Amino acid sequence: MNIEPTFREQLIDAGILIPLGVDGVWGRNGVFEAICAGLEHAISEAGLNDAPEVMRFPPAMPQDYFEKSGYMKNFPHFAGTIHSFDGDERGQHKLLGQMARGEPWMEQQQPAGLVLTPAACYSVYPTLARRGPLANVGALVDVYCWCFRHEPSLEPTRFQFFRMREFVRVGTVAQVMAFREDWVARGKVFATSLGIPFEVDIANDPFFGRGGKLMADSQREQALKFELLVPINEGAGPTACMSFNYHMTHFGETWDMRTEDGEVAHTACIGFGIERLALAMLRHHGFDLDLWPVDVRAFMGFGTKVSKSVGSVDAVEA
Ligand code: AMP
Ligand code: ZN
């Protein structure tokens, strides 16, 4: 019997995803990165006319930002904290012995004052808040960050480390709602230009614990989150590749962000899951970028022969 390899197996066989032996943690090859760079380009183009302020942050945030964000109230199961060695030479000797014997060795690791960033927009709010009241036009930020969520999975679309590009809007309720509504429509145009099938649906975040169900229900009832979903994994439901979130005054209150007239600011963010969009395109256009539809390649800013420039043998020989 000839069993068709799964999408995950195909990605590994083609060298596109490089297994590291930990579920949801992958290396990526040049083909994958070329798609990610193309998406970056296409997203920048899509947002260009709005002239967003560009902010880039490292993949970790200060512990106090993280604590104040309230993330542990809602998603403690996803958080990744950073610790580093805090002992002396004797301590190091002890640790090396423990490691060699296969024993636990983490007791001398102390919090480094940093937490892995769980969502790109989290560093934006305290940054804007420090500036004082917003201008009357509010704020619009383009942010891009590696994110971490501890959600090991065999599904190739669920990474522990992944990149999130976001447009973040802060302002009055009218400004923020108009932004999100506009982007739900623009998100559909964007996905159409990528040439992938999709649907947009109301969604909820995976809140932790028994109270989490109530939070999720209320998020749905108030239509606070929409997702753009793409069929990617065989035998599973479609995967959220973009999110359209309205946080009401949650971050405004948390960080005391104020509009020009002193009201608590509202916020919304549009998140592009770069890895998931890349996988969606590989799924629907195949693994050879040179064979992708011409208009899709143009939208991604690809030159004539992308695959030759991303580390293929031909590129080395040329
Ligand atoms: P969220 O903050 O959960 O709405 O996430 C924003 C976007 O990041 C989602 O629309 C996904 O495209 C992407 N994303 C979320 N979690 C993961 C994950 N575990 N692996 C890859 N992409 C993810
Ligand atoms: Zn966000």
Side-chain angles (χ1 to χ4, degrees):
M1 200 170 66
N2 197 1
I3 300 174
E4 177 79 359
T6 62
F7 184 49
R8 183 179 189 274
E9 288 163 347
Q10 290 171 29
L11 290 162
I12 296 170
D13 289 348
I16 290 175
L17 289 185
I18 305 164
L20 288 169
V22 180
D23 292 341
V25 184
W26 301 95
R28 292 97 158 129
N29 81 349
V31 171
F32 194 86
E33 287 305 303
I35 303 168
C36 295
L39 287 165
E40 278 301 292
H41 163 85
I43 296 166
S44 295
E45 292 282 311
L48 207 60
N49 284 343
D50 309 323
E53 177 180 347
V54 174
M55 292 187 193
R56 299 291 180 258
F57 295 100
M61 52 196 287
Q63 188 175 329
D64 57 336
Y65 277 18
F66 178 80
E67 286 169 5
K68 211 170 156 186
S69 76
Y71 196 78
M72 291 309 259
K73 271 191 222 142
N74 295 329
F75 314 106
H77 50 313
F78 285 159
T81 51
I82 300 183
H83 291 68
S84 49
F85 177 68
D86 193 37
D88 55 15
E89 279 176 53
R90 271 183 54 194
Q92 182 204 22
H93 187 74
K94 181 179 172 196
L95 177 154
L96 292 176
Q98 290 168 327
M99 253 186 191
R101 292 187 295 275
E103 294 169 7
W105 56 272
M106 293 272 186
E107 82 231 9
Q108 296 179 83
Q109 297 296 105
Q110 292 298 324
L114 293 166
V115 179
L116 292 169
T117 303
C121 62
Y122 271 58
S123 298
V124 171
Y125 308 116
T127 302
L128 290 177
R130 272 208 315 270
R131 295 179 182 169
L134 296 158
N136 71 341
V137 290
L140 173 66
V141 174
D142 161 348
V143 64
Y144 184 39
C145 197
W146 275 93
C147 296
F148 173 84
R149 291 183 189 174
H150 186 241
E151 44 177 351
S153 167
L154 286 176
E155 278 184 3
T157 46
R158 197 170 291 283
F159 291 69
Q160 295 203 58
F161 287 97
F162 58 97
R163 283 161 281 189
M164 202 189 286
R165 179 86 178 265
E166 293 192 53
F167 293 118
V168 185
R169 185 82 170 100
V170 184
T172 64
V173 62
Q175 288 168 338
V176 163
M177 290 303 279
F179 165 82
R180 190 180 66 153
E181 200 181 313
D182 182 37
W183 260 108
V184 171
R186 289 163 78 176
K188 292 178 188 173
V189 173
F190 184 81
T192 304
S193 302
L194 296 182
I196 51 179
F198 65 86
E199 59 185 327
V200 172
D201 204 356
I202 214 158
N204 62 268
D205 288 310
F207 293 99
F208 180 74
R210 262 179 297 158
K213 169 100 179 65
L214 289 176
M215 299 282 288
D217 289 347
S218 137
Q219 191 181 26
R220 277 179 175 269
E221 267 158 37
Q222 296 178 83
L224 299 182
K225 187 180 188 83
F226 291 90
E227 287 174 340
L228 185 137
L229 303 149
V230 183
I232 303 177
N233 294 310
E234 55 276 279
T239 302
C241 292
M242 291 180 65
S243 305
F244 312 86
N245 303 304
Y246 171 43
H247 317 113
M248 300 194 285
T249 53
H250 170 75
F251 290 113
E253 274 162 28
T254 301
W255 295 106
D256 195 26
M257 278 187 290
R258 303 268 163 183
T259 61
E260 192 188 37
D261 54 15
E263 298 290 316
V264 177
H266 291 242
T267 65
C269 67
I270 310 307
F272 298 79
I274 299 297
E275 273 70 14
R276 287 186 175 176
L277 286 167
L279 289 179
M281 301 194 76
L282 286 161
R283 176 76 182 176
H284 294 284
H285 300 311
F287 291 3
D288 186 343
L289 308 191
D290 291 336
L291 300 181
W292 283 17
V294 174
D295 49 347
V296 173
R297 291 170 48 84
F299 186 68
M300 305 283 281
F302 286 170
T304 42
K305 285 270 182 205
V306 174
S307 62
K308 298 288 187 288
S309 64
V310 292
S312 70
V313 178
D314 295 358
V316 177
E317 284 171 352

